[in-house]
Amino acid sequence: MTSSWESCKRFFSAFFIFSLLLVSGFSEDQEADALSDIDISELQVPEIEVPEYLSKDFKEKTSLLSFSEFENEVIQPDLVDGSRVMVYSIGNKTSRWFFDDEYRLSKIEHWEIAGFSDSKIVKQEFFKYHGREKRIYNKIIESADKGESFFYLPDNLVEKSEKYKKVNDRPYITEICRYKYDSQKRISEISTRTFSYNSEEDTKRRGVFVKTYKYKYNPLNADGEEIPPDVSYYENDVLKSVEKYSQVLGSFTQQYFFNGGISVKTWFVDYNRVKEVIYQEDRVLRVHKFDDEEKLDF
């Protein structure tokens, strides 16, 4: 019996010959001679068996869906304390999706089931809305000892996020991150406040550290290439570094600022260092030149 691969080769060989006849201007008799040795039955594309996995739906006596099964996945609608719930299981992991009266997602429970008597919730997600709006304004992701909360603007951009630890089931903020955007909804500033504690059980803030990134976007260059944004980085409102890009892709400068007015500025061309200068305020202390400095034009 001819293999599927041999059938494929004969089919495409015949198709190639037939195509040549169409473009070569052969007469009908010449075409007939050229095709006479070809078994038309072999021009059929061989069938390739592909395993087909179909989901199976199981319904109750009232024809309502009881559950749907697909390989090792199961989806099942349910009611829990009057709330509409969709249960999704795969392997030893199960999640329960809770919906409110407006059919809005209100909570997700993530379970790990190791055995019949060994199951636990490892993470929960909570969703909050304004009135009867469909848009989420607050999402909370929570595990046994920590969590994170996201607050959204009307256009679904994240305005603020808060991380917290849990001590005796009470939340204590460990980090607050705020976002700002430009008129094109691109991030223009990210400011992160990190709160320190002496230990995991300590509930009194011992200090705060602030990191801020500010972004200034560059236009496309003459070749239509996207240039990365310039970035300024601050620690506790003190400028620590600046990264600026030229209109030539891969050409940019990095400058780092240290105590005592010392800074180090490095020039890059084609992503390679070409020059490095150490400053004391505006005074040049040292210049280090690299092999490709002749490419420097900014």
Side-chain angles (χ1 to χ4, degrees):
M1 181 179 292
T2 305
S3 68
S4 296
W5 172 240
E6 292 298 328
S7 298
C8 282
K9 289 196 293 184
R10 274 199 291 271
F11 170 78
F12 287 111
S13 297
F15 180 78
F16 178 70
I17 295 173
F18 183 69
S19 300
L20 288 178
L21 295 176
L22 291 178
V23 300
S24 60
F26 280 9
S27 67
E28 291 183 1
D29 292 337
Q30 289 172 316
E31 292 175 4
D33 291 338
L35 293 173
S36 60
D37 294 331
I38 299 176
D39 186 353
I40 299 300
S41 64
E42 294 181 349
L43 297 184
Q44 298 176 358
V45 178
E47 294 184 0
I48 300 175
E49 292 187 5
V50 178
E52 184 178 8
Y53 300 106
L54 298 177
S55 63
K56 297 180 181 179
D57 294 338
F58 297 85
K59 298 182 180 181
E60 299 174 345
K61 293 180 179 180
T62 57
S63 296
L64 293 176
L65 178 66
S66 179
F67 66 93
S68 181
E69 184 181 75
F70 179 82
E71 291 189 312
N72 63 338
E73 302 177 39
V74 175
I75 299 175
Q76 177 182 357
D78 200 356
L79 283 175
V80 177
D81 297 330
S83 298
R84 299 173 180 88
V85 179
M86 187 65 70
V87 181
Y88 173 73
S89 299
I90 179 169
N92 68 336
K93 298 184 183 298
T94 296
S95 60
R96 299 202 302 175
W97 297 54
F98 292 75
F99 298 85
D100 63 14
D101 293 338
E102 300 289 331
Y103 295 94
R104 300 174 302 188
L105 182 61
S106 60
K107 182 175 70 170
I108 302 177
E109 293 177 347
H110 299 271
W111 292 71
E112 283 189 1
I113 303 175
F116 180 77
S117 59
D118 186 8
S119 61
K120 61 181 179 180
I121 297 177
V122 294
K123 184 175 67 175
Q124 295 187 87
E125 300 179 51
F126 302 90
F127 304 86
K128 297 181 179 180
Y129 305 83
H130 282 303
R132 301 182 67 177
E133 289 184 0
K134 300 295 185 181
R135 180 186 62 83
I136 297 170
Y137 84 89
N138 180 214
K139 174 183 176 181
I140 300 171
I141 303 174
E142 194 170 78
S143 61
D145 58 352
K146 61 183 178 180
E148 188 168 9
S149 181
F150 299 88
F151 297 87
Y152 296 89
L153 295 167
D155 49 12
N156 295 322
L157 297 174
V158 177
E159 179 181 28
K160 181 178 70 170
S161 65
E162 296 179 348
K163 292 182 180 180
Y164 57 89
K165 64 177 183 177
K166 294 170 70 176
V167 180
N168 297 324
D169 291 329
R170 292 184 59 188
Y172 293 88
I173 299 295
T174 58
E175 179 183 287
I176 298 176
C177 190
R178 297 181 183 274
Y179 301 83
K180 294 182 180 179
Y181 303 86
D182 64 12
S183 59
Q184 298 183 45
K185 298 183 179 181
R186 300 173 299 189
I187 291 179
S188 60
E189 183 177 318
I190 302 176
S191 180
T192 304
R193 299 168 62 86
T194 304
F195 304 99
S196 60
Y197 300 84
N198 283 343
S199 68
E200 290 296 324
E201 296 299 318
D202 188 10
T203 58
K204 183 177 180 180
R205 291 180 185 175
R206 305 295 177 176
V208 59
F209 183 74
V210 183
K211 296 189 299 184
T212 304
Y213 292 89
K214 296 183 178 181
Y215 301 87
K216 181 181 178 182
Y217 290 87
N218 293 297
L220 299 178
N221 64 13
D223 295 325
E225 297 171 317
E226 186 174 342
I227 304 299
D230 299 340
V231 184
S232 300
Y233 169 65
Y234 299 80
E235 291 181 355
N236 293 329
D237 296 328
V238 177
L239 182 63
K240 289 295 182 179
S241 69
V242 174
E243 197 168 89
K244 291 186 176 182
Y245 289 82
S246 78
Q247 282 291 289
V248 178
L249 193 63
S251 297
F252 58 96
T253 62
Q254 291 178 337
Q255 188 167 9
Y256 296 91
F257 301 90
F258 305 93
N259 295 335
I262 300 294
S263 68
V264 179
K265 186 174 184 179
T266 306
W267 283 257
F268 292 81
V269 173
D270 294 331
Y271 303 103
N272 297 311
R273 286 189 303 174
V274 296
K275 182 180 177 181
E276 186 175 82
V277 178
I278 298 178
Y279 296 92
Q280 167 74 55
E281 301 295 351
D282 294 329
R283 183 166 62 94
V284 176
L285 297 182
R286 192 182 74 182
V287 177
H288 187 180
K289 299 179 180 180
F290 299 89
D291 293 339
D292 294 333
E293 191 193 2
E294 63 272 10
K295 297 181 181 179
L296 189 62
D297 59 357
F298 67 101

